[in-house]
Amino acid sequence: MERLSSHNVRRQTLADKLWDSHVVHSAEGEPDLLYIDLHLIHEVTTPQAFEGLRMAGRTVRRPDLTVATMDHNTPTIGLDLPLADPISAKQIETLAANCAEFGITLYPMGHAKQGIVHVIGPEQGLTQPGMTIVCGDSHTSTHGAFGALAFGIGTSEVEHVLATQTLPQRRAANMAVTIDGELPAGVTAKDVILSLIGRIGTGGGAGHVIEYRGSTIRAMSMEGRMTICNMSIEAGARAGMVAPDETTFAFLEGRPHAPAGADWDVALAHWRSLPTDEGAVFDKEVVMDATTLKPHVSWGTNPSQVTAIDGAVPDPDAMADAGQAESARRALAYMGLRAGTPMREVPVDTVFIGSCTNSRIEDLRVAAAVIDGRHVSAGMRAMVVPGSMQVKADAEAEGLDRIFTAAGFEWRAAGCSMCLGMNPDQLSPGERCASTSNRNFEGRQGRGGRTHLVSPAVAAATAVAGHFATPEDIA
Amino acid sequence: MEPVRHITGTAVPLRRSDVDTDQIIPSDWLKRVERTGFGQGLFSEWRADPDFVLNQPRYRGAAILVTGPNFGTGSSREHAVWALQDYGFSAVVSPSFADIFRTNCTKAGLLPVQVDAGPAEALMAAVEADPAVLVTIDVEARTVLSAAAGVSTTFPLDDFTRWRFLEGLDDIGLSLRNEAEIVAHEAARPAWMPRLATT
Ligand code: SF4
């Protein structure tokens, strides 16, 4: 790493260092060819990639750098029963057959290490600083929380990585989001990212890799950093990253795939060389003050349509931008909301705590603390879907499952579940859900369903109150 | 992908503009786990009409689709390209293509042939009048020739993409040309980086 500390070399960002150290081949007029350190795969975006390999007579170059799980289609109850949907069943069987054929490690439905692809990578210590990580899923940005360059890819690219362990890519620009100050009580990582997307918009990070910096990020747990990097995609960015530090190393040490013994010290020395050099220049910068942030809730049908929870449904007629006003008008019609209604007065009938954004043990602890000794409001359907079977086991060891079930929540097995409703966990038309997931698009959680993005703390308080609420509101 | 130097064959005239990928392959086909077999789903909504051009026996076996401007607009689904290829098309001739569709074509090996409005219309009219009209597309020379239609014109194809078609190189094949560099990179990777058991 001498060349990085040399005075003659330009000061580099974390993203640039990772890029440069992974370029296998570079030529004028062509995209760079990047080496991929870890390829995560799941059942939905891989079947045609494997078939492509077979048709071309190719094989998987590095099955040892590839790991598979089942998450998008899998049911979260009745795991021992046959799948009700034959098309989902076919996709799941196909993944199992492909992994067997090509020698790929698979964590199938019911396995102790199964879970949402972006939860299990970090959990198993597979996600480490300085790595390039890809997956046929846009929320691969989650892994950037460890100081990895991680991004989502399409099916042709999945096939490309399977065959070559490389990917032709054009370098993205650098964007810094600096967040300083202490978060007020009850304000979480989810509120930070919702507030940021509300400010810069769904295209605010387009063409950029965002590096999150500042004292707020440094003070944040790995879980919180993952929540923020996860939703970089909703801001339009190619990827999100946080420089590795003592918090990162402490999280990783002792995990199944983390380096151990003498390797740990070598790895640590390398990881410490990765953070952005002092004085490196970013192409774009945004600064946020954490001390004035409030819990956020989305009111519309894209993730930039958010407000602080003490705000009201906005008035499209008062919006200066005609395009935004039109989009807000359509959103309010779909969401069944009237301008001017205080968010705290909007009744909610479903609460979903889960998804790769907020389904880790810390998220469940926060939610459990809010509902401990309380009960969900009359008629409320509330569900907790742990991000992985490991999270589920950990939560059960701490007794969190009993707190949830005593409060009237359903306690499920791991998967994507109601985040996208590809399995049977869906909203019915007109149902209104406070969801800890990441996308509030029309029909995302089921045809006609209405999704409001919130933090686990707000989701839990809302389940008890029956309308949008913070933990303080129900204290 | 297979090398493509010349495509000679008959053509199907699809006199519509702004044909979107939802029409090319409707979304219920996206649940499939196969990459083949999409030919059956090609334009399946329109094929419900017995008069639709693809249902006319005289246009069977054509290698080229001749269509209106802005072909392939809408969703980025690569399945649209797979469907056209699986049905039997090797090239699509149009006055203009949607960006992503065009990129997907060049990844999968379907030749997007963009010609000016004049020759496009001449070709369309000739093929409508006589399904036996032969069209020849020369990738190396970047030309479209049809004596029967009175068409002799050129189409744009950047050198890099043309080379990929001529050599039959998909992106994967191209990357594999750097095998030595990939091996060298792999040799230099730290041994402590995570590796999974292989079965
Ligand atoms: S939890 Fe939701 S966003 Fe995350 S990978 Fe699954 S479907 Fe995608």
Side-chain angles (χ1 to χ4, degrees), chain A residues 304-367:
Chain A
S304 74
Q305 293 175 320
V306 293
T307 175
I309 195 165
D310 55 12
V313 177
D315 182 359
D317 293 339
M319 292 181 179
D321 182 285
Q324 280 183 11
E326 186 46 37
S327 143
R329 230 167 261 128
R330 258 184 291 124
L332 294 195
Y334 179 84
M335 294 296 288
L337 292 171
R338 187 149 0 113
T341 312
M343 288 314 294
R344 279 193 168 93
E345 290 177 15
V346 175
V348 172
D349 46 48
T350 307
V351 166
F352 171 66
I353 297 176
S355 91
C356 58
T357 313
N358 282 123
S359 64
R360 298 176 192 85
I361 189 70
E362 184 182 277
D363 301 311
L364 303 195
R365 283 185 192 132
V366 166

Side-chain angles (χ1 to χ4, degrees), chain A residues 29 79 133 143 148 158 315 365 375 429:
Chain A
L79 300 193
I133 301 176
H143 306 265
V158 168
D315 182 359
R365 283 185 192 132
H375 204 276

Side-chain angles (χ1 to χ4, degrees), chain A residues 42 71-72 116-119 137-140 142 230 234 352 354-357 359 415-422 437-439 444:
Chain A
H42 61 86
D71 54 4
H72 283 67
I116 304 173
V117 67
H118 310 310
V119 175
D137 186 279
S138 59
H139 289 101
T140 309
T142 312
N230 173 277
E234 276 64 48
F352 171 66
S355 91
C356 58
T357 313
S359 64
C416 295
S417 177
M418 201 186 267
C419 175
L420 87 167
M422 243 178 121
S437 58
N438 47 45
R439 282 181 176 154
R444 168 78 176 182

Side-chain angles (χ1 to χ4, degrees), chain B residues 187-198:
Chain B
R189 290 177 78 237
W192 46 262
M193 278 197 161
R195 291 180 60 175
L196 291 124
T198 55

Side-chain angles (χ1 to χ4, degrees), chain A residues 35 51 64 105 156 159, chain B residues 32 35 78 186 195-197:
Chain A
Y35 196 82
E51 206 198 344
D64 60 331
T105 295
S156 277
E159 183 181 339
Chain B
R32 290 172 58 85
R35 196 166 191 153
E78 210 171 304
E186 286 179 326
R195 291 180 60 175
L196 291 124

